Amino acid sequence: MPHSVERLCEARRSKRWVHRLRRWLSPPLPLIMNPGEPRDFPLGRWNLYIGGGGCQTPGYVNIDLFQLPGVDVVADAERLPFPSDAFSRVECDAVLEHVREPEAVMREIERVLAPGGFAHVVTPFCHPLHEYPQDYRRFTLAALEHMAGGLSVVAKGWRTGPTATLLLFFFEYVKLWLPWRAGRILAHGVLGWLLFPARYLDLILLRRPEAGRLGNHCYLWVQKPAPGRPENP
Ligand SMILES: C[S@@+](CC[C@H](N)C(=O)[O-])C[C@H]1O[C@@H](n2cnc3c(N)ncnc32)[C@H](O)[C@@H]1O
């Protein structure tokens, strides 16, 4: 029996007409990325993408728990099968909530990162339950910073804001009242198309520090100190 992650991946890529129709009718995401989040930290010869099953990740070695399309190496992020100091950049986006020991993953990221290299970690704070394949926890920005350990924090903030949180929870709440899958799909489509423009309110709210009180996902950029080299780009 395929796992929830495998089923999701299959539905995203399937050529069956039901899946095509659903993709075509699906509303835009109820969230907008913070334009202030930095993205220009350099890639190197070897870069690692953790948990990119079903994604195209050019320039990265893509690892995931499952043998999904796009995955180069099937591995558990808590025990990365790579030598120390191997990667110039590591991406770990929306994965730490799914692992049993997020601290262990952070220590593995620290180990495999080359001195001077950068890692980007994104985690949910206010977000509905999503089991890929399990959902163990949520993170505040302070918790993420605490887990940086020996890595230096070079940037931090909120990727998606309070309006994304409200919309996501509202959609989930409405779906709780609908016993049939078809009703839930319809509600998701109708509410999604009606309410997605509200996501642009986060372009205003994300400029305020208080946005984190109801933030949806937070991010951290960290750098592994390199002896004798100045930190930060
Ligand atoms: C929510 S998805 C994130 C996908 C991608 N980063 C994105 O933003 O679209 C989480 C992914 O992490 C993978 N994953 C969960 N636990 C893992 C683990 N212990 N080691 C490696 N990958 C894991 C799941 O299989 C899934 O593909």
Side-chain angles (χ1 to χ4, degrees):
M1 170 120 165
H3 215 281
S4 55
V5 185
E6 291 165 306
R7 276 202 303 271
L8 183 77
C9 197
E10 162 66 14
R12 277 187 190 157
R13 302 168 66 96
S14 156
K15 294 200 162 46
R16 284 177 54 202
W17 73 267
V18 212
H19 289 139
R20 278 187 198 209
L21 186 68
R22 268 189 73 181
R23 284 201 298 264
W24 192 68
L25 291 175
S26 229
L29 292 174
L31 49 91
I32 193 101
M33 302 282 192
N34 185 349
E37 179 181 354
R39 298 192 168 272
D40 48 0
F41 292 95
L43 287 165
R45 181 170 155 79
W46 293 103
N47 310 288
L48 178 67
Y49 199 103
I50 299 177
C55 303
Q56 295 304 317
T57 58
Y60 289 88
V61 176
N62 186 357
I63 74 130
D64 202 285
L65 264 188
F66 302 98
Q67 183 64 71
L68 296 165
V71 171
D72 301 306
V73 179
V74 174
D76 187 340
E78 292 177 27
R79 287 178 297 279
L80 292 173
F82 304 109
S84 301
D85 302 343
F87 296 101
S88 304
R89 225 174 96 173
V90 177
E91 278 291 323
C92 184
D93 184 341
V95 178
L96 288 188
E97 71 272 28
H98 302 295
V99 305
R100 283 155 306 184
E101 303 288 345
E103 291 270 4
V105 176
M106 288 300 288
R107 298 293 66 81
E108 279 295 83
I109 292 175
E110 186 171 352
R111 182 182 68 75
V112 301
L113 205 54
F118 293 93
H120 184 210
V121 183
V122 180
T123 53
F125 171 48
C126 299
H127 198 78
L129 188 80
H130 56 295
E131 291 154 309
Y132 297 155
Q134 272 304 332
D135 191 346
Y136 292 103
R137 58 183 67 74
R138 296 291 174 266
F139 300 82
T140 59
L141 198 47
L144 264 194
E145 278 189 85
H146 178 70
M147 294 195 315
L151 299 163
S152 314
V153 176
V154 292
K156 62 181 177 178
W158 291 91
R159 164 178 282 192
T160 43
T163 315
T165 299
L166 283 189
L167 292 174
L168 287 162
F169 278 94
F170 179 62
F171 295 169
E172 286 302 314
Y173 177 81
V174 171
K175 284 193 255 173
L176 285 181
W177 287 100
L178 302 169
W180 296 288
R181 191 159 177 267
R184 292 194 292 272
I185 293 172
L186 187 69
H188 182 86
V190 172
L191 291 174
W193 278 107
L194 282 177
L195 294 178
F196 89 87
R199 68 184 183 175
Y200 295 103
L201 293 172
D202 277 343
L203 293 177
I204 302 168
L205 285 176
L206 281 167
R207 292 196 204 132
R208 303 197 185 149
E210 308 84 48
R213 299 185 77 81
L214 279 179
N216 174 241
H217 277 75
C218 50
Y219 69 84
L220 204 62
W221 277 99
V222 286
Q223 184 179 26
K224 183 158 169 177
R229 219 191 301 167
E231 285 167 25
N232 232 327

